[in-house]
Amino acid sequence: MLTSLFYSVCVLARKHHSVTGPASGSFRRPLFGWFCPCRKRTGNWLHAQKDPIQQHRQRLSAWFSCLPMEERHFGPSFALDSMHVDPVIRERSLEDILRPVSEFNLQTQLQSTLCPKSMTVFQLFQPQKSGNPVRNVVLYGTVGTGKSTLIRKFVLDWCHGRNSEFQLIIPLSCEDLSHVTAPVSLTRLISRKYLHLRDMFPTLSDYSGVLFILNSLEWMNLDFRMANTELCSDPNEPMHPAALLVNLLRGYLLPEANVLVTTRPSALKRIPRKYIGRYAEICGFSDMELQKMYFHLRLVHKDADPRETENLAEMLSRNLEHHSQLSAACFLPSYCWLTCATLHLLYYTKSDGPPMTLTGIYTSFLRLNFAGEILDITHPSKISLMRYVARTVGKLAYDGCHSRRTRFTEEDIKQCFQVELNSEEELNLLTVFRSDAFRFFLTPCVQPDRANLFVFTIPAMQEYLAALYVVLGENKTALQRLGKEVSEIISKAGEDVVAVVNVLSKFLPLRIFALFNLLRVVPRLYGRVSGQSRDNIAQTMTAEMFREEDSYNDDVLDQINSSILGVEGPSQLAEEDDRPEAFELFPIFMGGLLSHQNRVMLDQLGCSIMNMEALKITSALKKHLLNCSLRRLPPSELMDFLFFLYEFQNDVFTAGLVNSLRDLDLSNVRMTPLKCTVVAAVIGNTGKLLTDANLSSCHLDPDAIRTLAPVLRRCQNVNLQMNSLGPDSCREIKDLLLHGDCAIASLRLCNNPLAPEGARFVVDGLAGNSSLKNLSLLHTDLGDDGAEILAAQLGRNKHLQELNLAYNGIHDDAGLKLVEEAARHPTLGRVHLYFNELSDSGLRAMQTLGDVRVLVSLTEGRDASRHWALILREVKANAGGWDHARMSAHLTLLLRDLQSSRALTQNLWRKVRILRVETEVKRMLSSIQQGKL
């Protein structure tokens, strides 16, 4: 049984706020009458299609089945109404819930919630142990535990007839009700949202199975005092929405109806205990098998190889078993969604699909959980929950990144929150935050010897919040904060004072008023200071991007992949403390947060970044990056820099920086589909002409060649050696060479299994290409068939100057045909044929054909070849992928030829030159035998 597939889908449709309707992906607004065709069922009370209950079921099903935009963006998904959900729920007493915490004990606050005895959502309204009926139920839970999805599944079950306990369910969003200012009756409120129920209200009290669902009660400030909220039993009497809910919970209004309330823990005290029949806490996933089941089904993708999906799920399962901190993070259903969304980005990104960024995923994730959320609706500041997180938890995250720490003590956490504790109101805000959302971000370290330390639930979240803290300008000293407040006060007062001065200046000397003119200077002076802070943000991003100690790390995308799936092979025995912490996502997130799309989502979170601020930061950042990007970066750091530009999503900004690049060295970087998409998007769209593109040992495949084509064809020297490219990849290379914009002058395909079939595609590409001058097919398994294909078609090309066919198993006949054709070629001047299966007679015959220079040996007659250094350099550069025994045999033959030539020559200088070449060959043979080459 697919238990709960849980229920972590809570995040998938949780809190995406949009007033445009369900196409935007929100299911937290089920109040509006949006309808689409849905399956029909026979009614229980009335007949056929006129039954308002049946219409209500259909419309609720259409609304609650609509997935949020973030969920649809990551490919196919399961539907909640098609599988059983078994959430972990436990009954609690109010005394346990409201037990005061004597001190700021985070270990108590953040410990994992164990659920020894759970209940189902269908048991919530069962009578109490004493036999008393249960009318009102409060279902509570912290952020990310799945309250909204549980309600969503509960409603869908009722719509499809799987819940017969209630005859009618009426969901109401407390968030929507909190924005209603005019008095309204319950009848009017519901009929406006559910027009098809209008005719039922005169007899609504006759039904015994009516359930009202009040979702997210924390949005409402309820007052149950009689003096402030009068009693009301008439559903047609207009009242403030809060008063309607109070009377509904009191039982004065529709006393026969049941009420299910969902809320965060901080709002539990707003309803007196006497009106609640049962308190139930919704917990996370205490069973790892549920996590594995979710990951296995959630990773399925229509374009993916089933074997790849199975492998991903298996690696993730093994990492969950061995990496207990990851398992602790996936205790929250929302983090299961984030893990899968990240894996979809890493493995299923397509260049022709909509652009997805890692920063966008994390911002969407926070919007699903926090969009529009006010930390405390009763607090006059009405500060958004996410803004509070950026100021407090963001400061902790930034301090950790600055000091290269991922683990924190209770004292560290206290210090970060002391900044916000200047009044009773701020202390209350902290109390609300601790109860509702603290453990969403922080969790105790699961390692036994670090039980008193705390870590971010998801490690990358530390870098994201640190980036948000910096970009929002929260990284200010106390003097800067004071200066801003003083500047604002003086600026406002200055306008009034200047108006008075203008009047008095007609009667008094002007020098008296010179001092007042300083009021106009203060805001300008502070503006310059704030401008300097923008430059500091840009400088911080640049410094973090080009940290020298990070140059030897894997690129950041591989680091993310390893953190989720683990590392295959022997485990590292070194302690974690011995490894330096890498915070390379920190500057990347800073750049991503400045993109327009992410700034729009941040605005919905209450973390606004003004367009002018973003423009000024971007301008300052460009100046700093131009100075650093001109230097040559290691391949992994260059990949990180390109990923940073991709996350920024600013074509003008990117083009200005890409123009400073001359070479593209990504050798030994594992080029996944996402990385290929990043490189193509950053460099390919600019049309920049590069000198060199080194993509050797990058695990390229045909899809990668196709994605990178806009970049490769604009490079003069392209190195694709040691990538296991086969004939299918050669088809893409053919299209690359035939493109009208191709500027490739040198193409290295060494050490790839091209085979004769691949050679045929390459020759077809050569026939229509006019830019290629140097082609290296060294060690590409061509054999005699491949050489004959080249010989037969080489004449179709008129521009090639050098051709390397060394180490391809070519024999005399095929080699002679190729050299004869090369001799007739108008531009071909050099052909490499060393390390092939050529006889001595064949070697002599090839060296005497035409004007083309054939490199088959280290000797030329009785002298060393003028190209001996070139031959040995090529051999040494490619020896890593060769058969060392076969290579030793060929070098031994070359050494024999050198010794024979040295014995025949009488010229002393020639003897010395040959002896030097012999020394190099012997050194190379020794390195091969010792396994050092």
Side-chain angles (χ1 to χ4, degrees):
M1 213 166 178
L2 300 179
T3 55
S4 120
L5 252 179
F6 46 108
Y7 138 84
S8 128
V9 180
C10 71
V11 188
L12 304 183
R14 171 143 161 58
K15 298 184 179 179
H16 180 75
H17 286 258
S18 173
V19 297
T20 58
S24 303
S26 172
F27 78 90
R28 295 193 66 208
R29 296 181 179 270
L31 305 180
F32 303 96
W34 181 84
F35 174 76
C36 71
C38 186
R39 73 184 80 174
K40 295 184 174 67
R41 289 176 49 87
T42 58
N44 293 328
W45 306 330
L46 302 178
H47 294 286
Q49 300 179 1
K50 294 183 180 180
D51 182 1
I53 300 297
Q54 181 60 25
Q55 294 182 39
H56 189 59
R57 291 178 189 267
Q58 292 176 347
R59 299 194 183 197
L60 282 183
S61 176
W63 178 261
F64 278 69
S65 298
C66 186
L67 295 175
M69 176 182 62
E70 286 81 357
E71 169 63 10
R72 297 195 304 270
H73 191 65
F74 296 110
S77 175
F78 48 82
L80 274 181
D81 61 344
S82 64
M83 57 190 60
H84 178 65
V85 176
D86 188 16
V88 181
I89 306 172
R90 65 175 179 180
E91 186 173 0
R92 293 288 302 272
S93 65
L94 186 63
E95 291 73 19
D96 292 336
I97 297 170
L98 302 181
R99 181 178 293 118
V101 180
S102 58
E103 59 182 3
F104 194 80
N105 190 338
L106 291 179
Q107 185 66 40
T108 302
Q109 286 289 326
L110 304 178
Q111 63 186 351
S112 299
T113 306
L114 300 178
C115 304
K117 184 178 181 180
S118 62
M119 60 190 305
T120 67
V121 67
F122 302 108
Q123 297 173 328
L124 292 176
F125 289 93
Q126 288 184 352
Q128 298 175 350
K129 294 180 180 179
S130 61
N132 295 328
V134 173
R135 180 179 180 269
N136 299 336
V137 173
V138 170
L139 181 66
Y140 73 95
T142 58
V143 175
T145 50
K147 300 182 298 295
S148 296
T149 294
L150 178 64
I151 296 303
R152 179 180 171 213
K153 179 61 171 65
F154 180 75
V155 172
L156 287 174
D157 282 343
W158 177 79
C159 292
H160 299 155
R162 292 191 287 265
N163 179 4
S164 59
E165 182 179 0
F166 299 102
Q167 292 178 311
L168 177 64
I169 292 181
I170 302 177
L172 296 175
S173 169
C174 293
E175 179 185 354
D176 288 332
L177 295 178
S178 68
H179 294 95
V180 178
T181 57
V184 61
S185 68
L186 182 62
T187 302
R188 175 61 179 163
L189 177 67
I190 297 177
S191 62
R192 188 169 59 185
K193 309 303 179 182
Y194 305 109
L195 183 62
H196 48 277
L197 297 180
R198 180 178 54 188
D199 297 333
M200 290 186 58
F201 280 100
T203 59
L204 187 61
S205 59
D206 297 337
Y207 298 109
S208 59
V210 178
L211 173 65
F212 285 89
I213 298 178
L214 307 180
N215 197 27
S216 301
L217 187 73
E218 64 271 7
W219 281 93
M220 302 295 294
N221 186 13
L222 304 183
D223 191 345
F224 280 79
R225 292 174 296 180
M226 293 291 187
N228 296 331
T229 304
E230 62 181 6
L231 298 179
C232 175
S233 60
D234 184 4
N236 296 312
E237 181 178 347
M239 300 185 72
H240 190 275
L244 290 177
L245 298 190
V246 167
N247 281 283
L248 194 62
L249 290 166
R250 282 173 175 168
Y252 282 89
L253 194 60
L254 299 180
E256 299 82 5
N258 292 93
V259 181
L260 175 60
V261 176
T262 69
T263 184
R264 299 198 309 239
S266 63
L268 288 173
K269 292 185 290 186
R270 298 181 192 174
I271 307 177
R273 172 69 181 87
K274 62 182 179 180
Y275 298 122
I276 303 302
R278 174 173 285 121
Y279 290 94
E281 180 184 10
I282 182 169
C283 308
F285 302 123
S286 57
D287 187 357
M288 189 183 296
E289 293 304 317
L290 290 178
Q291 299 174 8
K292 292 180 180 180
M293 185 188 305
Y294 172 79
F295 289 133
H296 181 80
L297 295 179
R298 188 63 180 80
L299 290 176
V300 174
H301 194 274
K302 61 180 181 179
D303 297 327
D305 185 347
R307 291 173 297 181
E308 180 184 23
T309 301
E310 187 67 29
N311 184 49
L312 281 178
E314 180 63 27
M315 292 178 65
L316 184 54
S317 297
R318 288 200 297 266
N319 201 33
L320 284 171
E321 295 170 357
H322 297 97
H323 186 7
S324 52
Q325 198 69 57
L326 177 63
S327 179
C330 292
F331 177 82
L332 287 175
S334 54
Y335 279 120
C336 295
W337 181 90
L338 181 61
T339 299
C340 288
T342 304
L343 288 175
H344 270 268
L345 174 74
L346 293 176
Y347 285 90
Y348 302 137
T349 296
K350 297 294 183 181
S351 58
D352 55 351
M356 290 191 300
T357 65
L358 186 67
T359 313
I361 287 177
Y362 272 76
T363 308
S364 298
F365 169 71
L366 292 174
R367 182 174 64 172
L368 282 169
N369 286 276
F370 297 104
E373 291 277 3
I374 302 299
L375 178 58
D376 186 1
I377 198 69
T378 64
H379 194 274
S381 68
K382 298 295 188 294
I383 184 173
S384 73
L385 179 54
M386 200 59 223
R387 186 76 191 200
Y388 188 85
V389 170
R391 290 179 180 177
T392 54
V393 186
K395 183 180 187 304
L396 179 72
Y398 174 75
D399 291 345
C401 290
H402 186 69
S403 58
R404 319 304 278 180
R405 291 185 301 141
T406 59
R407 291 180 286 272
F408 307 92
T409 64
E410 290 188 17
E411 189 62 30
D412 295 331
I413 299 174
K414 288 180 182 179
Q415 290 178 359
C416 287
F417 282 93
Q418 288 297 330
V419 178
E420 298 294 328
L421 297 182
N422 299 320
S423 64
E424 181 69 19
E425 290 78 9
E426 292 174 351
L427 180 60
N428 292 337
L429 285 179
L430 176 58
T431 303
V432 172
F433 180 70
R434 284 173 57 192
S435 65
D436 291 350
F438 211 142
R439 71 174 184 179
F440 183 85
F441 297 100
L442 290 170
T443 188
C445 188
V446 297
Q447 298 176 3
D449 56 336
R450 299 185 177 93
N452 294 325
L453 297 178
F454 302 90
V455 297
F456 278 82
T457 309
I458 291 291
M461 188 61 73
Q462 176 181 351
E463 297 175 78
Y464 180 92
L465 293 178
L468 185 62
Y469 178 76
V470 173
V471 172
L472 288 177
E474 296 291 343
N475 185 26
K476 295 185 178 73
T477 63
L479 182 61
Q480 288 175 324
R481 294 177 186 273
L482 179 62
K484 180 179 180 180
E485 295 175 1
V486 171
S487 175
E488 291 176 351
I489 294 173
I490 293 178
S491 178
K492 293 177 180 178
E495 297 177 359
D496 298 332
V497 173
V498 169
V500 175
V501 168
N502 291 333
V503 176
L504 295 179
S505 62
K506 299 179 180 179
F507 308 100
L508 297 175
L510 294 176
R511 282 180 292 179
I512 297 177
F513 303 103
L515 182 62
F516 292 101
N517 289 329
L518 293 176
L519 296 174
R520 301 180 178 181
V521 178
V522 174
R524 297 178 185 175
L525 181 61
Y526 181 78
R528 293 187 178 182
V529 174
S530 63
Q532 184 65 32
S533 68
R534 300 185 194 104
D535 188 76
N536 292 339
I537 293 175
Q539 191 172 2
T540 300
M541 295 170 70
T542 306
E544 292 292 335
M545 175 60 63
F546 296 102
R547 292 180 71 99
E548 292 185 1
E549 58 266 35
D550 295 336
S551 299
Y552 303 100
N553 296 326
D554 292 336
D555 65 83
V556 68
L557 291 174
D558 277 351
Q559 293 177 34
I560 297 171
N561 185 74
S562 299
S563 68
I564 298 177
L565 299 180
V567 179
E568 293 294 309
S571 59
Q572 299 293 329
L573 298 179
E575 292 291 334
E576 290 186 8
D577 290 338
D578 298 334
R579 301 199 306 266
E581 297 291 349
F583 291 94
E584 295 177 81
L585 270 176
F586 175 38
I588 292 174
F589 277 141
M590 279 193 280
L593 288 171
L594 290 175
S595 70
H596 176 72
Q597 182 179 1
N598 284 313
R599 285 191 288 115
V600 169
M601 288 191 286
L602 286 174
D603 186 64
Q604 298 173 8
L605 287 165
C607 301
S608 300
I609 302 175
M610 298 294 102
N611 291 333
M612 187 57 66
E613 288 292 317
L615 179 61
K616 292 179 180 178
I617 295 174
T618 301
S619 299
L621 177 62
K622 188 174 183 178
K623 296 177 183 178
H624 289 283
L625 287 179
L626 280 173
N627 294 330
C628 297
S629 61
L630 290 173
R631 66 186 185 185
R632 192 175 186 86
L633 298 173
S636 62
E637 290 299 295
L638 178 58
M639 187 67 242
D640 288 347
F641 180 57
L642 296 177
F643 187 56
F644 167 82
L645 296 178
Y646 177 76
E647 290 283 314
F648 208 93
Q649 291 290 301
N650 187 321
D651 293 339
V652 176
F653 178 84
T654 298
L657 289 171
V658 168
N659 285 331
S660 65
L661 294 178
R662 296 291 180 267
D663 303 327
L664 181 66
D665 184 4
L666 297 175
S667 56
N668 298 302
V669 172
R670 187 175 61 92
M671 294 300 293
T672 63
L674 175 59
K675 295 178 189 177
C676 294
T677 300
V678 168
V679 174
V682 172
I683 300 179
N685 293 336
T686 63
K688 167 71 176 177
L689 182 63
L690 299 174
T691 303
D692 295 293
N694 187 353
L695 291 166
S696 60
S697 303
C698 289
H699 303 276
L700 300 179
D701 57 19
D703 291 334
I705 299 295
R706 187 183 309 112
T707 302
L708 292 170
V711 177
L712 297 178
R713 63 173 176 257
R714 299 299 298 161
C715 297
Q716 294 177 327
N717 304 310
V718 177
N719 185 354
L720 300 178
Q721 65 182 17
M722 290 185 286
N723 278 296
S724 300
L725 300 177
D728 291 340
S729 299
C730 292
R731 192 189 304 271
E732 301 299 331
I733 293 172
K734 167 192 168 182
D735 296 338
L736 192 68
L737 294 174
L738 293 177
H739 196 279
D741 199 30
C742 181
I744 301 175
S746 175
L747 177 61
R748 295 178 61 84
L749 297 172
C750 318
N751 302 298
N752 288 300
L754 303 186
E757 295 83 1
R760 194 180 305 277
F761 289 118
V762 174
V763 171
D764 290 342
L766 283 176
N769 180 275
S770 59
S771 64
L772 192 63
K773 303 295 187 295
N774 189 323
L775 176 63
S776 177
L777 300 177
L778 181 148
H779 191 217
T780 51
D781 296 341
L782 298 184
D784 290 338
D785 292 340
E788 291 179 359
I789 291 172
L790 284 170
Q793 303 294 330
L794 193 59
R796 299 167 60 191
N797 177 275
K798 306 298 181 184
H799 304 277
L800 196 63
Q801 297 177 0
E802 186 171 0
L803 178 63
N804 191 336
L805 296 175
Y807 203 163
N808 269 298
I810 300 174
H811 294 81
D812 289 351
D813 292 341
L816 284 171
K817 291 180 182 178
L818 181 64
V819 173
E820 289 173 353
E821 186 61 34
R824 290 190 287 270
H825 196 280
T827 59
L828 192 58
R830 187 184 300 166
V831 178
H832 299 244
L833 286 174
Y834 43 87
F835 276 34
N836 278 298
E837 309 302 325
L838 302 174
S839 64
D840 292 340
S841 59
L843 293 176
R844 290 191 296 270
M846 293 178 189
Q847 288 177 329
T848 59
L849 277 176
D851 296 330
V852 64
R853 185 168 297 280
V854 182
L855 306 184
V856 291
S857 177
L858 295 175
T859 61
E860 293 179 0
R862 298 183 179 183
D863 196 1
S865 171
R866 288 176 293 176
H867 304 285
W868 69 268
L870 171 64
I871 295 174
L872 291 182
R873 186 170 63 248
E874 286 283 343
V875 172
K876 188 174 182 179
N878 295 278
W882 290 2
D883 180 0
H884 284 190
R886 185 178 175 188
M887 185 177 173
S888 297
H890 281 291
L891 285 175
T892 302
L893 292 176
L894 293 177
L895 183 61
R896 186 197 64 186
D897 291 342
L898 288 168
Q899 293 171 343
S900 177
S901 296
R902 179 164 56 87
L904 292 176
T905 185
Q906 301 297 321
N907 188 302
L908 180 61
W909 293 112
R910 289 182 179 177
K911 285 182 178 290
V912 172
R913 193 158 47 238
I914 294 174
L915 187 61
R916 179 187 174 189
V917 180
E918 286 183 38
T919 303
E920 291 295 328
V921 174
K922 289 178 180 178
R923 185 180 294 115
M924 189 174 293
L925 276 170
S926 177
S927 298
I928 291 174
Q929 293 170 357
Q930 297 176 14
K932 296 180 179 179
L933 192 62

